């Protein structure tokens, strides 16, 4: 089965674009940890990037975007590996129906 691609989606989800997004997120996280910005200043940025607070102190929910709603087998294995390593395999991810996978209690 072949999935048609849209140039705009390909550009936004290219390896270079994703790596640049990770660098921006890491820089903002460093600013938060160093006290250069407050948690309230960081909040809109983390929400835009799929990191949501939970009621349990110290835990977040991470929503991972799936470009055009299509995952390759290798990408699915990485998500499964994350569940096994970080979540101890006890808290499975769930499909949100919004072209993303959510990991709770991370």
């Amino acid at each position: 089965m072949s999935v048609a691609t849209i140039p705009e989606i390909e550009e936004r989800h290219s390896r270079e674009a994703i790596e640049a997004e990770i660098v921006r997120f890491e820089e903002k996280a460093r600013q938060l940890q160093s006290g250069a910005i407050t948690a309230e200043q960081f909040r809109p940025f983390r929400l835009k990037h799929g990191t949501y607070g939970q009621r349990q102190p110290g835990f977040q929910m991470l929503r991972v975007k799936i470009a055009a709603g299509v995952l390759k087998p290798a990408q699915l294995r990485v998500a499964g590996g994350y569940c096994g390593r970080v979540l101890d395999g006890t808290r499975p991810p769930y499909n949100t129906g919004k072209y993303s996978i959510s990991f709770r209690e991370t």
Side-chain angles (χ1 to χ4, degrees):
M1 179 176 133
S2 176
V3 176
T5 57
I6 300 170
E8 180 184 329
I9 291 173
E10 286 180 344
E11 184 178 318
R12 284 186 295 143
H13 297 284
S14 69
R15 182 178 195 93
E16 294 80 18
I18 292 168
E19 288 173 352
E21 189 173 329
I22 291 168
V23 168
R24 281 192 305 275
F25 192 89
E26 288 174 337
E27 176 57 31
K28 285 287 190 181
R30 277 193 291 278
Q31 290 175 357
L32 175 66
Q33 291 172 335
S34 72
I37 62 174
T38 66
E40 279 304 307
Q41 291 170 315
F42 183 67
R43 184 174 188 240
F45 186 82
R46 75 170 169 78
L47 291 174
K48 179 181 180 245
H49 288 83
T51 305
Y52 301 86
Q54 292 195 253
R55 291 188 178 119
Q56 305 90 331
F59 288 100
Q60 304 291 320
M61 181 194 73
L62 181 63
R63 182 168 291 148
V64 178
K65 297 180 260 183
I66 301 172
V70 178
L71 277 179
K72 295 177 182 174
Q75 294 169 313
L76 193 54
R77 282 191 289 277
V78 168
Y82 176 82
C83 292
R85 284 189 317 278
V86 177
L87 303 178
D88 302 324
T90 60
R91 297 177 299 278
Y94 62 97
N95 180 335
T96 67
K98 299 177 183 177
Y99 298 110
S100 64
I101 297 175
S102 293
F103 299 95
R104 293 172 282 186
E105 300 177 26
T106 60

